[in-house]
Amino acid sequence: MSDTLDLARELIRRPSITPEDGGCQPLLQDRLHRAGFAGETLQFGDVTNLWSRRGGNGPLLVFAGHTDVVPTGPETRWNSPPFEPTERNGQLYGRGAADMKGSLAAFVTACERFVVRHPDHAGSIALLITSDEEGPAVDGTVKVVEALQARGIHIDWCIVGEPSSETQVADTVKNGRRGSLNGRLSVRGVQGHVAYPHKARNPIHLALPALLELTSEHWDDGNDSFPPTTFQISNINAGTGATNVVPGEAELLFNFRFSTESTAETLKQRTETVLQRYDLDYEIDWTLSAQPFLTEAGALVDATRAAIRDITGRDTILSTAGGTSDGRFIAPTGAQVVELGPVNVSIHQVNEHTDSAGLDTLSAIYERILERLLTGAQG
């Protein structure tokens, strides 16, 4: 029997498609309350957030995660109902199994065991859980962090339970993330008949040379911690739907995933310099989703790597690859942040699953990190 697996099943049974919590946070807080955690619900808009803490002194170690999940897609394509946890061949199937209800269960069971063994531990432990990570992420972790800062609460160390592993649990830990900068570009032309192109200005044709230059641009070389910055066009829309009409406007969506060798401002400037060079009639709206962050070797990274070695006998790899996470809202406060969670092989997919035994391994690693940081245990 596995307490972690049982709790993961209970969480999966609660449909919590973003921004719904589906009753997951009350379940978690009930378990935490029995372990001496004082919890409170922080409601912002339609989003439910849980802040649950044990202890009043520093240093403060926070486990951060989310109860919301993405939609299931066609349920007929699932081999078992997405909100009925099912085990097959050593794998736990269900929406959120890997992203990230398995991690939430491992958080709680690690804290429960740790508190029993070390009731007088140093510092404080807290869980920051939101139901707005898979959605717009405007009323979730970012708002909780703002509320904590207004109270003078400083997070020293944060473990985000995102599925960071590649092939085995804890073979990879994310100690940073690239920045994400989005652009919505509108290029204006003159609508007309395709048979009379001299009376029209095709915005697609006008934009193509500039887009080719942007896709070919060398933005930076990256560094030892980050790959080079990339530019990707994700959407192009134009036209009336008719084959004989030159469109009057074209709209494009694009994204930069950028390293610490570039800044959002320099990327904006360089992009607009290219667009202006081609004398385009354009407007561009920018949205900065995340600044890049990096947690260097230090107390949290060292404790995490040592704990993984203690439990699995393996050395982990540090990585900054992948998309964004809610760590982007916590790192700017000065907290050390790492992401450690299940294997990332099926998240957001039909038949999402995670290794059942791996959840126990993950819980043991979380507990060992607590011991190394809050009891000084080294062996």
Side-chain angles (χ1 to χ4, degrees):
M1 298 295 293
S2 165
D3 285 343
T4 303
L5 194 57
D6 286 344
L7 181 54
R9 290 192 197 100
E10 288 302 313
L11 291 168
I12 291 170
R13 285 192 182 98
R14 290 162 165 77
S16 55
I17 296 173
T18 189
E20 296 298 324
D21 171 66
C24 294
Q25 291 176 27
L27 172 65
L28 296 173
Q29 179 51 32
D30 181 61
R31 294 280 292 260
L32 292 168
H33 176 73
R34 284 179 268 164
F37 284 72
E40 61 178 308
T41 297
L42 299 173
Q43 189 79 31
F44 299 105
D46 295 328
V47 175
T48 303
N49 304 286
L50 173 65
W51 172 251
S52 186
R53 177 171 178 169
R54 186 181 196 273
N57 300 320
L60 171 59
L61 186 152
V62 171
F63 292 101
H66 60 91
T67 52
D68 59 319
V69 299
V70 297
T72 63
E75 294 195 21
T76 54
R77 293 180 56 196
W78 286 70
N79 293 336
S80 53
F83 295 113
E84 289 184 18
T86 305
E87 287 186 81
R88 296 191 297 274
N89 302 317
Q91 302 290 317
L92 175 64
Y93 286 80
R95 177 56 87 218
D99 188 16
M100 57 176 292
K101 292 182 176 182
S103 297
L104 298 180
F107 285 166
V108 171
T109 56
C111 289
E112 289 172 333
R113 293 192 308 273
F114 175 77
V115 166
V116 168
R117 295 171 184 171
H118 307 282
D120 299 319
H121 62 82
S124 302
I125 313 166
L127 275 76
L128 192 171
I129 311 298
T130 183
S131 65
D132 184 37
E133 197 274 346
E134 300 290 9
V138 297
D139 286 323
T141 300
V142 62
K143 289 287 182 66
V144 177
V145 169
E146 290 172 357
L148 296 178
Q149 289 183 301
R151 300 179 190 181
I153 296 173
H154 173 70
I155 299 172
D156 296 283
W157 305 308
C158 180
I159 301 170
V160 183
E162 291 292 340
S164 65
S165 306
E166 293 293 329
T167 60
Q168 295 178 296
V169 170
D171 61 1
T172 305
V173 169
K174 301 292 176 67
N175 66 321
R177 291 282 192 165
R178 294 173 294 174
S180 178
L181 176 64
N182 301 291
R184 180 185 295 271
L185 172 66
S186 297
V187 178
R188 290 180 290 269
V190 177
Q191 183 173 318
H193 197 294
V194 295
Y196 303 95
H198 58 286
K199 296 184 178 181
R201 296 181 71 243
N202 192 318
I204 301 174
H205 295 185
L206 295 171
L208 284 176
L211 297 179
L212 178 61
E213 183 170 336
L214 290 170
T215 58
S216 304
E217 184 77 6
H218 179 77
W219 302 97
D220 61 46
D221 293 317
N223 52 42
D224 290 342
S225 299
F226 290 91
T229 293
T230 61
F231 170 90
Q232 288 292 314
I233 297 171
S234 56
N235 282 274
I236 299 179
N237 293 290
T240 64
T243 60
N244 60 350
V245 179
V246 172
E249 186 173 17
E251 184 176 86
L252 301 93
L253 304 180
F254 61 86
N255 175 268
F256 284 101
R257 292 299 165 107
F258 62 100
S259 75
T260 50
E261 296 299 306
S262 293
T263 68
E265 289 307 313
T266 59
L267 294 173
K268 291 178 185 179
Q269 292 169 3
R270 291 176 64 182
T271 300
E272 300 217 33
T273 295
V274 171
L275 297 174
Q276 291 164 8
R277 185 180 303 132
Y278 290 90
D279 196 27
L280 299 177
D281 181 8
Y282 75 92
E283 289 184 2
I284 189 166
D285 293 322
W286 296 99
T287 303
L288 179 62
S289 298
Q291 293 281 11
F293 71 89
L294 180 69
T295 297
E296 304 277 7
L300 180 59
V301 168
D302 294 349
T304 301
R305 301 185 83 169
I308 292 168
R309 196 177 305 114
D310 291 343
I311 301 301
T312 70
R314 297 191 300 268
D315 289 324
T316 193
I317 295 171
L318 298 178
S319 171
T320 60
T324 60
S325 77
D326 276 2
R328 70 190 189 271
F329 302 127
I330 300 168
T333 69
Q336 297 176 38
V337 178
V338 298
E339 297 175 27
L340 171 59
V343 173
N344 182 347
V345 69
S346 62
I347 66 170
H348 293 205
Q349 296 180 14
V350 168
N351 294 320
E352 179 181 349
H353 60 276
T354 192
D355 178 55
S356 299
L359 294 183
D360 283 323
T361 301
L362 189 60
S363 180
I365 293 170
Y366 291 153
E367 181 185 6
R368 190 70 182 120
I369 294 172
L370 285 166
E371 289 175 342
R372 284 186 164 272
L373 288 174
L374 298 184
T375 71
Q378 300 300 315

